[in-house]
């Protein structure tokens, strides 16, 4: 099992969600984070113009069975992208075990 | 009592009730324009300056301001005002005094000790404000005798609050992180919606502030009052539009918080002359105030490097003075543009300077003393963590 | 109609409009002092008690209260009040009835069934409130005949609401998690800024509540009204300050929500005597209320273990009773301190007890019946998840 | 000036101040019912339509509406109204004009270009609104001559705003994601608490809107005004209750935002007839409006597929027309149910249609022109990211 | 050291916290997320009824020493469960190193 | 590639960010969490005084190339510390793959 963490533009979220749905990745969690990176956003507040790299992003945490990994990455790379600086990152790491709380199922079964 | 007297008093108390509600407006603006970790503290400061002001002004401040004149400088103080035929005046003046006091809280928000603020607030409402108020509104004060016009208090109320705010913000110093390497950083307010609602509430209350200052509505006064509502409204509208376009020009986009401050700038600026100028004059005064406010906020922030999170100094101090001076230009009776020459303008300048000097000097003495004794400022740790958790052991926003 | 009559009615309707706005204040306080997952439900309860109250009081409640007196106990009911010369009275009394009803919603927030609340709210506005109101305000009620003084309704409106709230909170039981192992836990309100703005709104509306209860402004009434505004304001200010210092002493820091409750406690307490006491008396009544409120909230929470999220029982019930009793002490005409002996105090106590007993008994009967039939309380699951998602299928806060 | 005249003018300005405050209510409702990423933009639109409206209506709109009648169709325009004896009228009418203008902003929220809105808002307050207003309220307009009754503006103010909103929402198109595969999706408002407070504020201000439209309070007018407050309040209450139960029936649970819209629907519907119907009539009009609003919102959303985030078209357009027509049914003098036959109803229908056609036609021309020139809509990117960050380079909610 | 990530019902949080406390797991961090999964929730807004699988959840991140792993999982499985669809998931992954910032301690010591 | 998760005092965030910037760690994501741990905070609400270990913290998630690991940890340990209970924790774990959405780059390249 792998954990895919994707940090994407908030504005791309609906598209990404739709696309994940189509490849039957219907399980994940997400929340809003502030991202620091290459992109800069111009702000003005009470006469102070400034450019900040602290930008609102959406953080998706998706745990998938190994054979789902590639297609999920593909979909994310495709739908979350605009080609402009600030599209975000995807991180993949290993998950040792998964449980479904309701049924106590373990492993890949818990991800179905 | 005859009907006209009833009408007049009724108008005064209705106006006073509207002015009271401005306290909610100030609280909204100040909470919205600062960070969430200090919101509880700002609420407490705004509530307490109203409470302390209400008691203090009744206990002694009112007579310091309106008691029998002593030398054109101060009224004869007496304790616990209890003339039951003048309760409407006490009420109307109390809410004005509370306004002057509450202006300061915004400028020193997010870093000032609560106890220190309580003490300063009391002194403001029983000494600083009533004495300069006496000069203009008691009827025999020295500025009245000069012919100084400050109808509803651009200078008497707003500038006094604004200049005290300037001194206070200067002495307490900028918030941590506001200036780094000589550069001014933006510390964004946490909820500009609250700020915007606060501006609507203030504008609403301001009709009582200016309209009520006619202190009468019977007979032809009612036309005067109606005119005041129009000048007040036009100045605010013109100022908000002006501030918006100026910010648009300067920063490329119409700035929300500047536009909101613009509306307030127009309201403060027209306060002195709302009964003395024409609608056109009012619109122009608003326009000027709306332009000046933007540059004033920038100047105080970037050049003077005085940290005023809500723009209180610019809105109340600078635009209060500006509006008072512009009476000398636009007053239908005596204004420069209406053939009155420079006489009135000179008087207006005298009043602005005298009261400015008074507010600055007394605030400095009081606040400097407080600084050297109990201290003005919370500890670094308290400031960083937020005043709410340290000064009040709780957060305003939960779950 | 003659000018004085016009003036009086005009004052009544303006005051009524201000009192109406208190509904917004109650909503803000109750939403702010509870958790976000129940905010939509609280909004609905507050809106509906106003709507049901407006229709119910017009349909029958008003005449139950003010119809031709039957035995000093109840008015002669008639349907759909339509005397076009008394619409101002209907309006003013309607907003008072709505106030009494809305007090209950805060005490039982976050766990009470919506339908049950709607039914109780209707009974409150057409039976419970009008009958005891009749005793004092109809003019020929038995408490009026005794000489009971409750000028604007510390007892008639606030205590009735407060005692019903006590019974309701008791019968519905505490929120899950409020008491564990016999210990009271804090369940923090989710947005104290809303609560604070609510307090300002209530204070603003209270000038109409107390001032309007003079029911006249012509002639010398205008001075009486002005005096009422001052006593109202001083009591609120003194109470907020007192509550702040008491909380400071007890918990080491000035507590925001206690101070806010303090202001309301002062307003409730002065409501009975706002026209009968001097400014000094008002300040003292406020002071006492501000001290009592803190201990009352603690007592009800920790000793009685009745869960009242907004402090409605203490603010309206306890301070309403307290303020009514203190009229017997501070009334310039007949008060204990002014040489009036214990007579008035005894009458005040009689009224407080009689109306308290009435509110408690009738609320108990109604709510106990509801409890045994349709039930008072939502399911555990609904309460844990929040009433909004279950009772209204939506959340108030999104994105 | 004689006392009665003073009283009348005083009432007009007090009412005007209340109506002014409705701007805060509109802002709250519109901000609350939309998403947080556009809140700053909505604030700016609401503030600016007030400011532009205030200046524009004074500069020319007022005389277009109330100047000497030209052919029953338009007043004689003159610049910068300055008749100091009619400032109360200018004030009262200005806040009405601002109301008509601000209605549109809600319907086109979250996707409309700021500059385009500013231009439209100006045209609305100086051309569209004043001309149809002239037909009914100038005194010699062609609809007045027909006997059309629209006491406080169900049609003149609300429908004009509502129909313009319809055209605007249609031309600007739905928000991205609102309709997918022909299905209407819910785009939840981000803070329904703000929306609810906005409704209370509007209801509060509406007492000035309807009550002030009597334009007098002296003599028996005071009873008329009191009656208006009652009809206004009953209609709002009945409508909120009706909308709640209808939504309960349709969706299984009482819907918060529909109930809030219900209250507004009742207020809009009673505006035309508040002085012409009995309390019972008012309650029925409210009831009908409360039922209609739910179906109207569904119809416009799901059948017409016009995206109106706050329900402005249904509340102001549909219920404004409905209320105006129902005057023909419930008017005590001339209504169908009171033996007046179909005459009045026909006249009412004529007015509703004529003014509807006017508002639709002129809005279409103006907005279509704007669409083809500078454009109505922000770019897709701006809409997705939120208007605040693109149109104003800042967010309203921080830390 | 293992990292346990548990996505649970918000309404179960108090119970879970209590239970963790009893087995002396007194260290963790949590935040609110939106979860997408099997559970659907009915909503109505302004006449549009819809059913969404975007549901508020609470995310717990608990890093424990290896010998604490099993009992923590047990407690989570037991107390977070209602048996109804939507109880949530538990993911276990490896943590290479842990530091306590205050003391600079490393490894298991930092978790005591 | 390693993922560094640091849970720190909110009040230390600005300093930490600055310091990371100086060692050229200009990419990370952060969000606010509630932390449960040793530190207790005194609260009062409506007469109830209580002490809670649920304290607002900031959560930083930083993915770095291996050779950046040590210096990043060093900086975090140094700048996030006050020496008082509650300074927070740092967790290090392995990341198998990283993608930059915009360019589809993989591995260390995606982290530059
Ligand atoms: N090493 C990292 N660790 C954690 N989050 C990261 C990292 N690098 C980038 N991010 C997240 O990805 C977002 C987009 O990255 P950015 O550098 O702005 O654009 P791009 O990836 O197109 O060059 C950042 O705002 C941040 O939230
Ligand atoms: N593969 C996953 N990756 C991340 N989060 C998940 C994953 N699967 C489920 N979740 C989280 O668990 C929650 C509950 O899952 P759900 O499928 O609704 O119920 P159940 O586990 O009872 O079948 C989801 O809302 C989501 O937050
Ligand atoms: N094992 C853990 N898993 C996840 N988060 C933890 C863990 N231990 C500590 N934390 C986080 O670190 C914060 C600080 O820890 P705390 O125990 O209060 O202080 P200290 O590390 O100085 O002893 C906690 O509030 C919590 O957010």
């Amino acid at each position: 099992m792998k954990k895919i963490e994707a940090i994407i533009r908030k504005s791309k979220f609906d598209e990404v969600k739709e696309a994940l749905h189509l490849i039957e990745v219907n399980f994940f969690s997400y929340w809003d984070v502030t991202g620091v990176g290459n992109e800069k956003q111009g702000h003005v507040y009470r006469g102070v113009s400034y450019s900040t790299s602290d930008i609102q992003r959406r953080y998706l945490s998706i745990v998938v069975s190994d054979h789902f990994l590639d297609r999920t990455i593909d979909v994310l790379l495709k739908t979350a992208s605009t080609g402009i600086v600030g599209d975000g990152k995807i991180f993949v790491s290993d998950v040792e075990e998964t449980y479904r709380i309701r049924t106590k199922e373990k492993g890949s079964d818990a991800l179905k | 009592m005859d009907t006209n007297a009833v009408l007049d008093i009724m108008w005064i108390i209705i106006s006073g009730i509207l002015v009271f509600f401005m306290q909610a407006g100030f609280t909204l603006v100040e909470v919205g324009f600062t960070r969430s970790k200090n919101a509880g503290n700002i609420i407490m400061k705004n509530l307490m300056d109203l409470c302390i002001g209400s008691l203090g002004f009744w206990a002694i401040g009112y007579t310091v301001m309106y008691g029998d004149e002593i030398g054109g400088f101060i009224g004869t103080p007496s304790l616990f005002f209890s003339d039951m035929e003048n309760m409407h005046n006490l009420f109307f003046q109390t809410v004005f005094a509370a306004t002057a006091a509450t202006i300061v809280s915004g400028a020193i928000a997010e870093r000032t000790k609560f106890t220190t603020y309580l003490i300063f607030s009391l002194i403001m409402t029983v000494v600083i404000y009533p004495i300069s108020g006496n000069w203009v509104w008691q009827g025999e004060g020295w500025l009245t005798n000069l012919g100084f016009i400050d109808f509803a208090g651009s200078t008497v109320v707003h500038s006094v609050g604004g200049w005290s705010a300037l001194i206070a913000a200067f002495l307490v110093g900028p918030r941590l992180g506001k200036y780094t390497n000589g550069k001014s950083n933006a510390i964004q307010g946490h909820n500009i919606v609250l700020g915007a609602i606060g501006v609507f509430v203030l504008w609403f209350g301001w009709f009582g502030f200016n309209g009520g200052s006619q202190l009468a509505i019977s007979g032809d006064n009612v036309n005067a009052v109606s005119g005041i509502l129009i000048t007040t409204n036009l100045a605010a509208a013109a100022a908000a539009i002006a501030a918006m376009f100026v910010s648009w020009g300067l920063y490329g986009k119409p700035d929300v918080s500047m536009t909101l401050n613009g509306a307030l700038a127009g309201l403060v600026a027209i306060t002195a002359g709302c009964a003395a100028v024409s609608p056109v004059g009012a619109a122009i005064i608003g326009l000027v105030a709306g332009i000046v406010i933007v540059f004033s906020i920038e100047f105080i922030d970037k050049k003077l490097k005085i940290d005023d999170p809500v723009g209180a100094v610019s809105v109340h101090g600078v635009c209060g003075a500006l509006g008072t001076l512009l009476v000398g230009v636009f007053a239908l009776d005596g204004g420069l543009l209406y053939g009155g020459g420079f006489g009135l303008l000179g008087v207006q300048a005298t009043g602005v300077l005298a009261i400015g000097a008074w507010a600055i000097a007394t605030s400095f003495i009081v606040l400097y003393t407080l600084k050297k004794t109990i201290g003005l400022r919370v500890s670094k740790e308290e400031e960083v963590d937020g005043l709410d958790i340290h000064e009040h052991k709780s957060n305003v926003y939960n779950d």
Side-chain angles (χ1 to χ4, degrees), chain A, chain B:
Chain A
M1 289 158 291
K2 299 290 174 197
K3 173 154 127 187
I4 303 169
E5 288 165 293
I7 302 153
I8 64 169
R9 293 181 191 279
K10 285 180 79 168
S11 53
K12 277 286 172 183
F13 178 71
D14 286 340
E15 257 172 85
V16 168
K17 191 178 161 192
E18 190 98 337
L20 288 174
H21 184 71
L22 291 177
I23 57 160
E24 301 198 341
V25 174
N26 287 323
F27 300 83
F28 58 93
S29 304
Y30 63 87
W31 59 95
D32 287 341
V33 306
T34 308
V36 177
N38 285 319
E39 193 186 357
K40 302 260 177 278
Q41 208 172 51
H43 279 252
V44 184
Y45 182 68
R46 303 183 68 63
V48 182
S49 300
Y50 60 102
S51 145
T52 179
S53 54
D54 292 43
I55 292 172
Q56 291 300 308
R57 305 260 175 235
R58 189 149 281 176
Y59 199 103
L60 276 65
S61 166
I62 320 173
V63 177
V64 294
S65 312
D66 294 1
H67 62 283
F68 259 93
L69 180 63
D70 289 344
R71 69 182 96 161
T72 308
I73 300 286
D74 279 357
V75 159
L76 287 171
L77 284 176
K78 200 162 343 133
T79 52
S81 155
T82 65
I84 302 166
V85 175
D87 279 348
K89 298 275 188 297
I90 302 172
F91 304 118
V92 180
S93 51
D94 193 56
V95 168
E96 298 187 349
E97 192 54 276
T98 295
Y99 301 85
R100 167 172 278 131
I101 295 175
R102 172 167 49 97
T103 56
K104 275 82 192 167
E105 283 162 294
K106 282 168 70 163
S108 298
D109 288 347
L111 289 173
K112 269 179 206 143
Chain B
M1 197 180 301
D2 89 324
T3 308
N4 282 348
V6 170
L7 277 168
D8 293 343
I9 298 180
M10 186 176 167
W11 176 242
I12 290 174
I13 61 178
I14 291 174
S15 297
I17 294 172
L18 289 172
V19 177
F20 171 87
F21 200 45
M22 292 171 68
Q23 295 288 328
F26 280 109
T27 305
L28 282 160
V29 169
E30 294 180 16
V31 169
F33 278 21
T34 52
R35 286 166 294 178
S36 58
K37 62 184 179 182
N38 301 315
N41 186 261
I42 290 168
I43 288 169
M44 287 297 274
K45 282 179 180 152
N46 275 279
L47 184 62
M48 277 301 128
D49 59 43
L50 169 64
C51 293
I52 291 175
S54 292
L55 288 177
F57 203 70
W58 160 65
I60 183 150
Y62 181 76
T63 50
V64 170
M65 186 154 169
Y66 287 102
D68 291 339
E69 189 66 41
I70 309 180
F73 180 80
I74 190 173
T76 312
S78 71
L79 287 179
F80 303 114
F81 186 76
S82 63
D83 174 358
M84 297 309 289
E85 321 238 295
N86 273 300
M87 285 293 143
H88 57 285
N89 285 326
L90 173 61
F91 182 65
F92 195 64
Q93 300 305 332
T94 296
V95 290
F96 271 61
T99 303
T102 207
I103 289 168
V104 179
S105 61
I108 57 172
E110 309 203 80
R111 58 204 193 275
T112 308
K113 265 195 181 167
F114 186 58
T115 1
T116 311
Y117 181 74
L118 296 186
I119 296 169
F120 178 70
S121 195
L122 179 64
I123 297 171
M124 184 83 187
T125 19
V126 303
V127 180
I128 302 178
Y129 168 74
I131 290 181
S132 58
N134 171 278
W135 305 348
V136 185
W137 284 349
Q138 195 272 356
E140 300 171 26
W142 71 272
L143 280 168
T144 313
N145 293 338
L146 276 187
F148 180 65
I149 298 178
D150 183 9
F151 186 73
S154 283
T155 291
V156 174
V157 179
H158 293 282
S159 274
V160 165
W163 300 136
S164 294
L166 176 73
I167 295 303
F170 170 70
L171 285 175
V172 77
R175 289 168 291 172
L176 292 174
K178 174 65 195 169
Y179 299 101
T180 44
N181 313 323
K183 219 177 97 297
S184 171
N185 301 309
I187 300 182
Q188 293 212 305
H190 84 282
N191 190 335
I192 305 301
V193 175
L194 294 182
I197 300 306
V199 168
F200 281 113
V201 169
L202 286 168
W203 193 331
F204 170 68
W206 226 290
F207 292 124
F209 200 95
N210 287 359
S213 291
Q214 180 78 10
L215 300 176
I217 199 154
S218 57
D220 290 340
N221 287 302
V222 78
N223 283 340
V225 169
S226 303
I228 289 169
L229 301 190
I230 286 295
T231 52
T232 302
N233 196 52
L234 288 176
I241 294 176
M244 181 185 77
F245 280 113
V246 173
S247 74
W248 207 328
L250 290 178
Y251 321 125
K253 294 286 171 185
D255 186 84
V256 182
S257 78
M258 276 292 185
T259 308
L260 293 170
N261 268 155
L264 298 182
L267 289 165
V268 169
I270 197 61
T271 295
C274 57
V277 304
S278 71
V280 176
I284 299 175
I285 289 176
L287 192 79
V288 175
I291 296 168
V292 167
I293 187 74
V294 180
F295 294 102
S296 171
I297 286 176
E298 283 222 17
F299 180 77
I300 289 172
D301 185 31
K302 295 185 187 165
K303 296 282 176 262
L304 297 189
K305 298 212 187 327
I306 290 177
D307 179 19
D308 175 3
V310 304
V313 179
S314 298
V315 167
H316 300 279
V318 175
C319 290
L322 175 74
T324 309
L325 291 175
L326 289 178
V327 173
V329 179
F330 291 101
L332 294 170
D333 183 6
L336 184 60
L337 287 183
Y338 296 87
F342 284 90
L344 181 56
L345 193 56
V347 171
Q348 295 299 98
T350 310
V352 164
L353 290 175
I355 292 184
W358 165 258
I360 287 174
T362 48
S363 299
F364 186 85
I365 294 168
V366 172
L367 289 164
Y368 192 78
T369 312
L370 289 171
K371 184 168 181 166
K372 293 295 160 190
T373 49
I374 58 176
L376 291 181
R377 193 156 178 143
V378 300
S379 72
K380 189 183 160 206
E381 186 203 2
E382 287 177 276
E383 185 175 344
V384 171
D385 291 346
L387 275 63
D388 286 5
I389 195 65
H390 285 281
E391 294 246 41
H392 309 290
K393 278 197 194 162
S394 71
N395 296 310
V396 292
Y397 297 112
N398 299 289
D399 91 81

